[in-house]
Amino acid sequence: MRALPEAVKIKINQHLLDPDTARIDALDQVLMLLPPELLRGRLPALPYRDVLEKRLGRGIGKECGRILLATDLPNPRGTRVILACVRPEATAFERLTLARKLAAALLERRSGAVAVYPVALPRLVAEQVTEAQVAALLAALTPRPNRKSRPVAVPRVGTLHLYGLARRLNLARTRAEAEGNGLARWLTALPPNELTPGRYRRHLRTLARHHHWRMEVLDLKALARRGAGAFLAVAQGSPEPDAGIVRLRYTPRRRRRPGLALVGKGICFDTGGTNLKSARHMYGMHEDMQGSAVALGVLVALTRLQADFPVDCWLALAQNHIGPKAYKPNDVVRASNGVTIEVVDTDAEGRMVLADTLALASRARPGLILGYATLTGACVQALGTRMSGAYANTDALRTDVLEAGHDSGERVWPFPADPDYDEPLESNAADVKQCATEGEADHILAARFLSRFVPSGIPWVHIDLASGNHKGGLAHIPTDVTGFGVRFTLHLLLDHRLPAA
């Protein structure tokens, strides 16, 4: 079993002053971020202003959100300066997107000393763009699984200097978020022969020891005793009896808020089962466990930040295989809360394993349940892969979710989940159909199905991770696998003070 990645280690020095020529000369690279109005006339009194103005030229002052200049200064070190324009009114997503592009440019060279310098930006904007740049650099420096025979060049930054700020930034949350996101991306990118449910559990035991979490494993026998027929239906097709639900628990030193339950779909490989996927749709299905990886990444980040509420992280780990024992359409199974389910499509296995996991997580009556899953192709069809879908069981939560997505730069769009969407799920053989036989709004129907396993009165948010994989990266993340959800969740929990007391 390969070791899990360590958190990115980079020294960050914050200077509450603007750099002079001597400080610039001591740097390998410096990133200068300017508002558009500074590019319409003369630049302010920057080190090497005349050199920069001459090489910058005119007529491009309105082109923000991109690199305007990358040049080596005429000093002994050959300090590289990257100049970019930032609109003060840019959204969080736009700031992070620019930061990803700038991080890529900075990391073209292995550097000992790099600086970020927002020039003449309003205080709040300067802090926002600097935090975005730190987040993007940490994301880009996070190691990735590599199984190539030849070594791959690893980008490096020794020390990051932050200038041009009126006060020091608290970057603990940015670092915690980067660690959680990096872990989520690492696990998701592992090949499926390296991340079976059994091997996944070994990684979890290592993490539990390191972070002092309590760990409980509900294996197939334990789940059978609890009547978790929905989960067991999916697991029964696997030749290895290694599926199970893992519960990890973080307990704060001082509890000030109700408990949180994180629930993640961890299908380590999805063939589609009896309703077998085509080759094109099966390729990449080792990423179908990304919901569990995101939930785990959130747990890591909250632990690092010493959250003042307990967190239970429930991970539904299984594989959806084809075989003589695999479940099939028209089977009827009973979930752990007593709801009977008529199977329609074995490729809708995610909602089956989540049904029992949600029901078990609900028994402790947490103050909030957050679920993550790469659940439906319908959500991707509705939104593309630039943002994820969300469902919440209260109006207040829907507002919180939308605002947290906007403010974090990991955007989500709340879908309706009105009761009349239950009509396509009516079954003559059981309490509910697993999904509809027609393709009507499957992302909404999936949420309506899952809502049957969360008792009324428990606040619940379900995130359908349509943006779990976006070609070329998304926001500040440079890889196709995005680990989407960690940054969003920290904004939702910490800025909106959820779970509510």
Side-chain angles (χ1 to χ4, degrees):
M1 183 178 67
R2 311 265 182 153
L4 287 165
E6 294 184 357
V8 177
K9 292 180 173 62
I10 177 171
K11 184 178 180 181
I12 300 178
N13 291 331
Q14 299 194 46
H15 310 274
L16 300 182
L17 72 167
D18 295 334
D20 54 22
T21 300
R23 291 179 183 272
I24 292 290
D25 288 347
L27 297 168
D28 295 304
Q29 297 190 79
V30 56
L31 170 62
M32 296 183 181
L33 301 161
L34 291 82
E37 59 267 19
L38 290 190
L39 297 171
R40 298 186 184 121
R42 288 216 71 188
L43 294 177
L46 299 170
Y48 296 98
R49 177 175 68 174
D50 293 343
V51 173
L52 295 175
E53 283 188 339
K54 182 178 180 180
R55 296 181 184 178
L56 179 63
R58 295 293 109 193
I60 57 174
K62 295 182 179 179
E63 296 185 35
C64 278
R66 59 183 289 269
I67 296 173
L68 302 178
L69 177 69
T71 188
D72 293 345
L73 294 177
N75 61 14
R77 201 181 193 99
T79 302
R80 187 185 189 214
V81 172
I82 298 175
L83 249 166
C85 176
V86 177
R87 292 184 301 109
E89 68 274 17
T91 65
F93 175 76
E94 290 168 337
R95 290 194 298 269
L96 291 169
T97 301
L98 175 60
R100 181 185 83 239
K101 298 174 183 177
L102 295 173
L106 287 169
L107 296 178
E108 289 174 356
R109 298 183 181 180
R110 289 170 61 89
S111 301
V114 171
V116 176
Y117 178 29
V119 181
L121 287 166
R123 191 189 78 181
L124 178 59
V125 176
E127 292 175 354
Q128 290 171 334
V129 298
T130 300
E131 190 279 333
Q133 198 60 59
V134 173
L137 281 167
L138 291 175
L141 290 167
T142 297
R144 310 167 197 174
N146 173 39
R147 305 296 179 259
K148 291 181 179 290
S149 300
R150 293 183 178 179
V152 176
V154 178
R156 178 184 175 275
V157 171
T159 305
L160 179 62
H161 298 270
L162 306 180
Y163 288 99
L165 299 172
R167 61 182 181 182
R168 294 184 185 277
L169 293 178
N170 183 356
L171 294 170
R173 185 159 127 185
T174 306
R175 284 185 177 275
E177 169 209 309
E179 183 177 352
N181 173 274
L183 175 62
R185 285 190 288 143
W186 173 281
L187 289 169
T188 304
L190 287 175
N193 56 324
E194 289 188 25
L195 196 72
T196 62
R199 293 187 176 192
Y200 202 157
R201 284 205 304 273
R202 291 179 217 164
H203 286 312
L204 295 176
R205 289 194 185 280
T206 300
L207 287 166
R209 285 194 297 268
H210 179 73
H211 292 288
H212 307 290
W213 299 328
R214 180 181 175 185
M215 180 173 172
E216 178 186 7
V217 178
L218 300 177
D219 61 14
L220 297 179
K221 290 182 180 179
L223 290 172
R225 289 194 296 270
R226 286 165 172 78
F231 184 100
L232 294 171
V234 176
Q236 71 190 37
S238 177
E240 291 292 330
D242 59 353
I245 296 175
V246 176
R247 180 186 186 184
L248 300 166
R249 183 169 180 82
Y250 157 79
T251 303
R253 294 178 181 175
R254 292 185 179 180
R255 174 175 177 159
R256 291 190 172 91
R257 285 192 271 166
L260 168 72
L262 304 169
V263 174
K265 173 188 171 184
I267 298 296
C268 295
F269 195 81
D270 180 17
T271 67
T274 302
N275 294 108
L276 195 65
K277 293 178 183 287
S278 66
R280 182 169 69 90
H281 291 100
M282 200 187 300
Y283 184 76
M285 279 297 106
H286 63 297
E287 296 179 10
D288 210 19
M289 42 59 65
Q290 188 165 176
S292 67
V294 170
L296 184 63
V298 172
L299 179 63
V300 167
L302 291 174
T303 302
R304 288 291 191 203
L305 295 172
Q306 298 182 356
D308 61 357
F309 48 88
V311 184
D312 279 319
C313 184
W314 298 80
L315 307 179
L317 307 183
Q319 299 192 71
N320 188 23
H321 278 149
I322 181 68
K325 295 183 179 180
Y327 80 133
K328 55 194 178 296
N330 295 117
D331 282 358
V332 174
V333 299
R334 186 183 299 273
S336 55
N337 66 343
V339 172
T340 57
I341 304 164
E342 180 186 0
V343 177
V344 174
D345 185 344
T346 63
D347 198 20
E349 85 298 329
R351 68 200 74 182
M352 297 288 284
V353 298
L354 288 175
D356 277 319
T357 311
L358 285 168
L360 293 171
S362 297
R363 291 181 180 178
R365 305 296 297 187
L368 175 67
I369 297 177
L370 293 178
Y372 310 86
T374 47
L375 201 63
T376 66
C379 194
V380 175
Q381 291 170 358
L383 295 174
T385 58
R386 297 178 183 275
M387 61 175 66
S388 290
Y391 310 83
N393 61 358
T394 70
D395 291 337
L397 272 177
R398 275 188 284 274
T399 299
D400 287 332
V401 163
L402 187 61
E403 290 177 356
H406 177 271
D407 295 343
S408 68
E410 288 194 332
R411 301 168 299 174
V412 298
W413 188 254
F415 283 100
D418 293 44
D420 58 307
Y421 279 98
D422 289 341
E423 293 175 9
L425 299 179
E426 293 177 359
S427 169
N428 294 325
D431 295 328
V432 64
K433 283 182 178 178
Q434 167 206 38
C435 58
T437 52
E438 306 296 330
E440 177 192 355
D442 185 51
H443 52 313
I444 298 175
L445 299 187
R448 288 303 303 172
F449 173 85
L450 291 176
S451 70
R452 292 174 177 256
F453 304 92
V454 179
S456 61
I458 298 180
W460 170 59
V461 175
H462 162 65
I463 305 297
D464 196 332
L465 294 169
S467 51
N469 188 304
H470 182 76
K471 188 174 182 180
L474 189 66
H476 58 306
I477 304 300
T479 53
D480 291 358
V481 173
T482 64
F484 182 103
V486 177
R487 186 178 176 93
F488 157 80
T489 302
L490 292 184
H491 274 72
L492 180 68
L493 298 176
L494 304 181
D495 296 342
H496 291 260
R497 294 295 295 172
L498 296 175

